[in-house]
Amino acid sequence: MIVILAEKPDQARKLASPFPHTKGNGFLSIQSCKEFPNGATVTWAIGHLVELKEPEEYRPEWKKWDLATLPIIPGQFEYKVSKDKAKQFQTVKKLLKEADEIIIATDPAREGENIARLLILMAGCSKKRIKRFWTSSLTENAIRKGFAELKDGKETIHLFHEAQARQIADWLVGMNASRLYTLLLQQKGIRDVFSVGRVQTPVLKLIYDRQKEIERFRPEPFYELEGQFTVKNGTYRGKLNKRFSSLDELYETVRPDITKEQQTYQAVIKSVRISEKRTPAPKLHSLSTLQSKLNRTKKFSPTKVLELVQSLYEKGYVSYPRTDSQYITEEEYTYLQKYVNQYQQCLDIHVPIRSLQPSKRYVNPEKVSDHYAIIPTEKVPDTKAFETFSSDEKEVYYEILKSTLAMFMTDYVYDETVIITSVGKQEFVTYIRGSEPPEIIQSKGVQN
């Protein structure tokens, strides 16, 4: 009997959807098919079904917050089943006990591995044959391919060990430091409970330091000198490449070429340099860059962005969201190239495709570890499906789609003209993006 362990009900339904299946109480039964000749059972956790025990569950005296009991360090860390999820755990445990082979199909990341392995551990099934389903996409093709290319469970168990180290570190810091700070501050008359965390406290310190920098900041005025130059068919501006703390300093520096009293001068264009500039499309999105972009443009909070991308991922429209990579491999590029026209239709835009050859700016397997960048999947929503998206989901999907399509587009190419105009020994610099009438850059002896 094969048991497939998913992270949550929605994910389980997605994993079973390509195959004939029936619904049970806390599980789905896949009937005999090409991928599973003898059928399979899909069951699920509900997030973290298993968690570390509280201090008092190791020793009763650790329940009371007392400096004399610190530090609290169990001889061996133990886990328990969350009370509100005990019913589903019993279902999962029963199925795992009956399994000949377990396929871990939780999210392909450290926490997904942790959720599954702790369930298997608590069910007493760690010695059974374990395979790992590993894909960042939940489209039908990706699911079928994932089950056809299962990893050996030994290949990903290191992620479980990493997750345990983080989980135990969080417990040790939280349980001990929170009590220590709270009790010491209470001795000073501060009656409150202070939460200290391995991550939250350093982050809070960074926020505090930044706020103090803002409060201590005192704006200091500075002065710049800009000239307006008149030529045959128009005007342009140039700026002295210096900043001054006062007007007196400014005029002292530019004297005798420029003075307060005189407003118009004979100027000479010393040089004109025109160069072609290229700006490639931005890189593909990681979770943090997507959160940053949508916070800036749509005022979405980071938490909201994660929830929206997770929703789109579970629906099968985008790849795995919790990624720090901005690169993809040739495999992803191949299907993106195949669907590029459909993606354009989805956005209702039609632009020339620069090249269908992968660029290392985006396609670099050496810079992809567990997960690649957030990109659309082969499942392109039609009009009917798109209507089921919330307005916020549409915004997120559009942003992911636009960043992906930009990868295929031509660079933004423009001419940058740099003009050096002198008034005596003072040189003014002008930067002009784009083409300008030749009369402007060829004139001599212009007036200011």
Side-chain angles (χ1 to χ4, degrees):
M1 175 181 173
I2 295 176
V3 172
I4 302 166
L5 187 54
E7 192 162 321
K8 53 186 78 71
D10 284 347
Q11 189 182 56
R13 285 191 289 271
K14 186 64 65 176
L15 292 169
S17 62
F19 315 110
H21 65 277
T22 56
K23 185 178 180 182
N25 189 10
F27 62 91
L28 300 168
S29 294
I30 296 177
Q31 298 166 16
S32 177
C33 56
K34 178 182 176 182
E35 290 80 359
F36 303 102
N38 297 316
T41 301
V42 186
T43 189
W44 54 84
I46 308 172
H48 290 270
L49 276 178
V50 179
E51 59 190 26
L52 284 166
K53 288 184 177 180
E54 297 293 321
E56 59 271 21
E57 293 177 276
Y58 294 97
R59 296 184 189 175
E61 61 268 27
W62 282 352
K63 184 173 184 178
K64 183 181 179 182
W65 288 36
D66 189 339
L67 288 173
T69 63
L70 298 180
I72 298 171
I73 305 177
Q76 180 175 343
F77 283 90
E78 299 174 5
Y79 292 87
K80 65 178 181 179
V81 177
S82 302
K83 288 183 178 179
D84 59 334
K85 301 171 183 176
K87 181 179 178 182
Q88 181 61 16
F89 173 75
Q90 292 302 322
T91 299
V92 175
K93 180 180 178 180
K94 179 178 181 296
L95 291 169
L96 292 178
K97 288 283 190 184
E98 296 171 354
D100 301 307
E101 178 179 296
I102 300 170
I103 299 176
I104 297 175
T106 48
D107 284 349
R110 188 172 63 188
E111 281 310 302
E113 195 78 17
N114 193 38
I115 287 170
R117 296 278 182 175
L118 285 177
L119 274 172
I120 294 169
L121 179 69
M122 292 294 285
C125 300
S126 295
K127 293 185 179 181
K128 292 198 174 190
R129 186 167 67 250
I130 295 175
K131 297 291 183 69
R132 188 52 159 110
F133 172 87
W134 193 271
T135 179
S136 293
S137 173
L138 290 180
T139 62
E140 180 174 333
N141 288 339
I143 290 169
R144 289 184 183 277
K145 184 178 180 183
F147 280 120
E149 300 175 354
L150 293 171
K151 294 175 179 284
D152 189 290
K154 294 176 182 177
E155 293 183 43
T156 59
I157 196 169
H158 68 281
L159 295 173
F160 172 52
H161 297 150
E162 291 173 17
Q164 277 197 308
R166 179 208 55 77
Q167 194 173 19
I168 289 170
D170 285 345
W171 191 98
L172 286 169
V173 173
M175 294 299 178
N176 286 285
S178 296
R179 294 185 181 205
L180 177 65
Y181 275 72
T182 298
L183 293 169
L184 290 177
L185 287 168
Q186 284 180 356
Q187 290 179 358
K188 296 182 178 295
I190 302 174
R191 312 301 298 179
D192 209 337
V193 174
F194 295 88
S195 175
V196 179
R198 178 183 62 90
V199 176
Q200 72 178 40
T201 303
V203 170
L204 183 61
K205 179 62 164 60
L206 291 171
I207 295 171
Y208 170 82
D209 289 344
R210 180 59 179 154
Q211 181 60 34
K212 286 300 178 184
E213 287 178 10
I214 293 170
E215 291 173 1
R216 288 193 296 265
F217 176 75
R218 294 293 179 267
E220 296 181 0
F222 64 86
Y223 298 85
E224 295 180 322
L225 184 60
E226 185 179 79
Q228 178 170 295
F229 303 98
T230 303
V231 290
K232 184 177 179 180
N233 78 329
T235 61
Y236 66 94
R237 292 181 175 274
K239 188 182 292 184
L240 209 62
N241 261 349
K242 295 177 183 176
R243 286 184 174 183
F244 307 92
S245 58
S246 67
L247 283 173
D248 289 340
E249 181 191 359
L250 186 157
Y251 282 112
E252 183 63 32
T253 302
V254 299
R255 185 177 295 141
D257 301 306
I258 300 171
T259 64
K260 289 183 180 180
E261 294 76 20
Q262 187 174 344
Q263 297 297 311
T264 304
Y265 301 83
Q266 184 74 18
V268 177
I269 295 178
K270 291 187 67 176
S271 67
V272 177
R273 186 177 73 252
I274 302 175
S275 57
E276 183 181 272
K277 298 289 184 179
R278 288 179 172 270
T279 302
K283 291 183 178 179
L284 298 168
H285 278 306
S286 66
L287 177 59
S288 61
T289 63
L290 183 63
Q291 289 171 320
S292 177
K293 177 69 177 290
L294 289 169
N295 177 259
R296 186 171 67 253
T297 59
K298 302 297 177 182
K299 306 304 179 187
F300 290 175
S301 71
T303 301
K304 180 175 183 177
V305 173
L306 176 56
E307 290 172 350
L308 291 167
V309 186
Q310 181 70 29
S311 174
L312 291 170
Y313 164 65
E314 290 175 3
K315 292 177 180 179
Y317 293 107
V318 302
S319 61
Y320 184 72
R322 293 177 177 84
T323 176
D324 59 1
S325 177
Q326 291 184 269
Y327 298 87
I328 57 176
T329 70
E330 288 86 350
E331 185 176 352
E332 289 78 49
Y333 186 84
T334 299
Y335 87 71
L336 290 173
Q337 174 185 320
K338 178 181 177 182
Y339 287 95
V340 67
N341 290 328
Q342 288 178 250
Y343 295 142
Q344 289 194 76
Q345 290 171 10
C346 188
L347 282 177
D348 196 24
I349 61 171
H350 301 279
V351 293
I353 300 299
R354 171 198 52 150
S355 170
L356 293 178
Q357 293 302 312
S359 164
K360 275 208 164 183
R361 179 175 174 82
Y362 313 100
V363 185
N364 191 339
E366 294 178 3
K367 295 188 177 182
V368 177
S369 53
D370 293 338
H371 314 291
Y372 48 81
I374 302 175
I375 55 175
T377 64
E378 309 99 309
K379 185 179 179 181
V380 184
D382 57 21
T383 303
K384 185 177 180 180
F386 202 63
E387 288 174 354
T388 67
F389 287 20
S390 69
S391 59
D392 290 344
E393 284 178 329
K394 289 177 182 177
E395 295 290 353
V396 173
Y397 187 70
Y398 275 146
E399 178 57 37
I400 295 169
L401 208 52
K402 285 188 291 185
S403 72
T404 303
L405 278 176
M407 173 175 63
F408 295 96
M409 306 307 169
T410 56
D411 294 344
Y412 172 45
V413 181
Y414 60 94
D415 287 338
E416 182 181 76
T417 304
V418 181
I419 306 172
I420 305 297
T421 310
S422 66
V423 178
K425 294 181 180 179
Q426 309 306 316
E427 294 186 345
F428 292 79
V429 183
T430 303
Y431 294 95
I432 301 173
R433 176 176 289 192
S435 300
E436 290 294 321
E439 289 86 354
I440 287 183
I441 60 176
Q442 292 175 356
S443 298
K444 302 291 183 182
V446 298
Q447 295 290 318
N448 179 9

